[in-house]
Amino acid sequence: MSIYTRRNFVKSSLLGGAALTLVNPANILFPAKGQGKEVTNVSVSTGDDRADMVFRSLKPFSGQIKEAIGNRLVVLKPNNVLLYVPLACTHVETLEGILEFLKSIGKLSNVIIAESSASGSALEGFSNYGYNSLTAKYPVKLIDLDNESFENMYVTDERDFRPHLVRVSSVILDPDSYVVSVARMKTHNTVGATLSLKNIVFGSPIKDPGFTLYNEDKRFSESAKESRPGAVSYKRLLHGGGFHAVNYNMAMLAQKLHPDLAVIDGHTGMEHNGPTLGTAVDHRVCVASQDWLAADRVGVELMGIDFSKIGYLNYCSNMGLGNADLSKIKIVGESIKDHIRQYKLPDNFEKQTVWMNPKT
């Protein structure tokens, strides 16, 4: 039986009611925000040493993480959206901090670092960002998810309200995978902020072999001449033709595509026109939690962003996929209020908030 069938992803909830639920999907289909949620622990650490900061953010959850991993494959999923822009991607030292933590709890024997980059070969990105050095130090494998098996899922497009097939990595969907989202704290020109969930939802759909957004001279281009004719990136279909659909699609897919553990590296964040064209923020903070929504909620707060304007996370909260109520989130470590930075928002941020109104 396929993972997709076994996990019983109900297409009707994603597609059959798309035209109706894009009006206000979370309120129509799901209970009120925060209903019935227990207190969630989120760790916040700060410091100059990125790897040490990450290690310390995970330490409070050592026993719980060890038990949750059990005999499962540990999948470290970095966010390497581009191949030649280090600020947009997961730093090698962030991964090293996690690997050292896994070593400390005796869970380093079955670990991979896996990615499907939005722009080209994940393995090329790994090389560019120094990940190959990790394989010399730790028993870890580097995997391009585009070369692995996939399952079929579906998203909608607000221009036609029809089902659109996307091929999604079986590695991420597999219940025997313990997925760690190793995200970078960044603003985003489509959904406001990209943290642990978006890294998984947009990183899991794969690309056809030969798809690239780079020309021969390594210059980024949305219509790169080097891309194989007919090659498709299934990630692009998640955008769904507009701000309503992209937030809706992300929330619907999050029911099955989400991390078991969220690690958000804000040592050096990205503000303004992220996720690729932004500028650096010297923030020196790290967030970790086994509740990815709680981690993202804290991340948004640390970035000084109005959470009510981040559509997909509000939908996920209303759907009961995690805890986004700060009054029910216990911070372990550093205080949030002492480390808030006002990230400059994308130029089109107010346009993004059209999701808050009915689709006309």
Side-chain angles (χ1 to χ4, degrees), residues 126-201:
F126 292 163
S127 177
N128 291 341
Y129 299 136
Y131 290 10
N132 291 334
S133 65
L134 298 174
T135 63
K137 189 174 181 180
Y138 305 97
V140 61
K141 297 178 181 179
L142 304 179
I143 302 295
D144 186 337
L145 293 175
D146 292 342
N147 298 329
E148 304 298 313
S149 61
F150 59 84
E151 307 291 333
N152 292 335
M153 297 179 77
Y154 293 84
V155 295
T156 193
D157 190 301
E158 62 187 62
R159 294 166 295 193
D160 61 15
F161 297 110
R162 298 187 181 205
H164 295 266
L165 182 146
V166 291
R167 292 177 175 175
V168 178
S169 169
S170 297
V171 174
I172 303 298
L173 281 170
D174 193 333
D176 290 327
S177 293
Y178 182 84
V179 179
V180 184
S181 178
V182 192
R184 193 161 197 156
M185 196 172 283
K186 300 187 293 183
T187 54
H188 198 279
N189 59 9
T190 303
V191 293
T194 172
L195 299 159
S196 74
L197 177 65
K198 188 178 181 299
N199 178 37
I200 300 300
V201 172

Side-chain angles (χ1 to χ4, degrees), residues 42 195-196 262 264 287-289 291-300 323:
V42 174
L195 299 159
S196 74
I264 306 169
V287 178
S289 181
D291 181 336
W292 55 265
L293 182 54
D296 282 6
R297 176 66 185 91
V298 170
V300 168
N323 185 5

Side-chain angles (χ1 to χ4, degrees), residues 256-315:
K256 296 298 177 185
L257 288 173
H258 56 258
D260 296 288
L261 177 64
V263 178
I264 306 169
D265 173 21
H267 180 279
T268 306
M270 179 184 282
E271 67 178 354
H272 200 200
N273 291 321
T276 59
L277 300 177
T279 53
V281 179
D282 185 5
H283 202 165
R284 302 185 187 242
V285 66
C286 182
V287 178
S289 181
Q290 296 169 95
D291 181 336
W292 55 265
L293 182 54
D296 282 6
R297 176 66 185 91
V298 170
V300 168
E301 195 73 11
L302 286 167
M303 297 170 77
I305 297 175
D306 183 351
F307 180 76
S308 69
K309 294 185 177 181
I310 307 300
Y312 70 100
L313 292 179
N314 277 269
Y315 289 164

